């Protein structure tokens, strides 16, 4: 019995095509469902050096705002947060989509520093949208330098709370924290969040590692502030810029083994004549991957829109 060479070649091509397309389809599936890697840097490596920032601050005592670039102004204002009492109140929305279902939920957070104590409270009430129930977020982080653990170092207390108000306005969202919570050592906290609470006051690290553009500095005479816009694009850049913030989102979002792949962030900054942050407007885009996201899809496209307002001095209380 003779075998047609054409038939052999045809069969071979079919097998090769099947193997190739199967691999390609599998690769497409994996590419669409995997997270990109996290930053390989430490916080100290990403952030501008302490010496550089302190030098900029000293210069600001004698120079005008317009003598500095927007990036330098950001670093000066960030440094000033560390040497005075402040309150940062942030409100906004987390808008995510899974399988074509949009889930827009409210968010409010308050970060306060009084003397040696930093308290960070984060709230996002659960919301039912079709078959999707978003997780409740009601957590408080307290870092009190006057309280030390068995290792002789200040610890970080993390506690779950209960809502006492979920609205109707964003500023009305509030919670109460009555449990003792968990006390984390500095080492454990850094392993989880890459930085201590007094280092990661702001969500984004703006430095030569993460940002090299020189945006326009615009004076808003009506509000007596200087404004500029920072645009960060691509996961590699943003994984460095959000070194601690990405870990915070993953930890507090309420989903199991959550990880982020960043797309871009637009940050609009307003600084007053005293080199203090007045407000920061955030518009963030990323994909969240987690084991227990609804449906069979394990990722959701997320757009966060947050607005932070800063208060300083005697007005600040815990």
């Amino acid at each position: 019995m003779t075998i047609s060479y054409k038939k052999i070649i045809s069969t071979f091509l079919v097998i090769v095509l099947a193997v190739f397309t199967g691999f390609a389809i599998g690769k497409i599936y994996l590419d669409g469902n995997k997270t990109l890697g996290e930053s390989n840097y430490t916080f100290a490596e990403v952030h501008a050096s302490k010496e550089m920032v302190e030098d900029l601050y000293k210069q600001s005592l004698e120079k005008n705002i317009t003598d500095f670039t927007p990036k330098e102004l950001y670093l000066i204002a960030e440094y000033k947060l560390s040497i005075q009492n402040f309150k940062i109140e942030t409100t906004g929305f987390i808008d995510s989509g899974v399988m074509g279902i949009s889930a827009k939920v409210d968010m409010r957070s308050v970060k306060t520093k009084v003397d040696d104590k930093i308290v960070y409270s984060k709230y996002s009430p659960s919301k039912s949208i079709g078959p999707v129930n978003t997780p409740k977020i009601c957590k408080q982080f307290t870092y009190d330098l006057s309280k030390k653990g068995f290792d002789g170092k200040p610890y970080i207390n993390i506690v779950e709370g209960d809502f006492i108000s979920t609205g109707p306005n964003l500023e009305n969202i509030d919670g109460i924290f009555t449990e003792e919570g968990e006390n984390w050592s500095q080492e454990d906290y850094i392993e989880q969040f890459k930085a201590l609470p007094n280092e990661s006051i702001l969500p984004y690290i703006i430095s030569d590692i993460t940002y090299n553009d020189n945006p326009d500095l615009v004076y808003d005479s009506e509000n007596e502030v200087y404004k500029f816009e920072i645009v960060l694009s691509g996961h590699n850049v943003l994984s460095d810029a959000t070194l601690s913030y990405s870990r915070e989102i993953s930890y507090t979002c309420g989903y199991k083994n959550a990880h982020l792949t960043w797309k871009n962030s637009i940050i609009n900054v307003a600084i007053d004549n005293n080199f203090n942050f007045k407000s920061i407007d955030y518009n963030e885009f990323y994909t969240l991957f987690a084991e227990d996201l609804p449906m069979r899809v394990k990722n959701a496209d997320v757009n966060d829109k947050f607005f932070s307002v800063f208060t300083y001095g005697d007005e600040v209380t815990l």
Side-chain angles (χ1 to χ4, degrees), residues 14-166:
V14 168
I15 293 171
V16 171
L17 183 61
V19 171
F20 176 78
T21 54
F23 172 79
I25 291 170
K27 186 177 186 304
I28 290 170
Y29 175 81
L30 289 173
D31 287 346
N33 289 274
K34 71 180 181 182
T35 57
L36 299 178
E38 291 187 331
S39 173
N40 293 320
Y41 289 108
T42 64
F43 181 85
E45 289 171 336
V46 179
H47 200 278
S49 69
K50 181 180 178 182
E51 292 76 16
M52 172 187 172
V53 176
E54 288 181 344
D55 181 62
L56 285 172
Y57 169 67
K58 290 176 183 177
Q59 292 182 47
S60 73
L61 301 177
E62 300 177 353
K63 294 182 178 181
N64 297 319
I65 281 188
T66 53
D67 293 328
F68 299 90
T69 68
K71 182 163 63 177
E72 290 172 336
L73 292 176
Y74 189 97
L75 291 171
I76 294 167
E78 183 183 39
Y79 178 78
K80 291 196 69 176
L81 284 174
S82 68
I83 61 173
Q84 63 182 320
N85 294 341
F86 66 78
K87 177 181 178 181
I88 308 171
E89 182 164 3
T90 302
T91 53
F93 304 95
I94 304 166
D95 193 356
S96 60
V98 178
M99 295 289 287
I101 300 172
S102 178
K104 188 175 183 180
V105 297
D106 300 339
M107 198 285 294
R108 175 177 177 260
S109 70
V110 180
K111 185 173 289 189
T112 306
K113 175 181 176 289
V114 174
D115 299 329
D116 290 333
K117 189 174 183 179
I118 295 176
V119 179
Y120 177 38
S121 305
K122 188 172 184 178
Y123 315 100
S124 182
S126 178
K127 191 172 184 179
S128 297
I129 303 175
V132 178
N133 291 316
T134 63
K136 176 194 96 170
I137 300 171
C138 191
K139 285 184 180 290
Q140 188 172 83
F141 301 73
T142 301
Y143 186 45
D144 190 343
L145 296 179
S146 67
K147 294 184 178 181
K148 298 181 179 180
F150 294 111
D151 60 0
K153 299 177 183 179
Y155 57 82
I156 299 91
N157 180 262
I158 303 177
V159 60
E160 294 273 356
D162 295 305
F163 283 100
I164 56 176
S165 174
T166 57

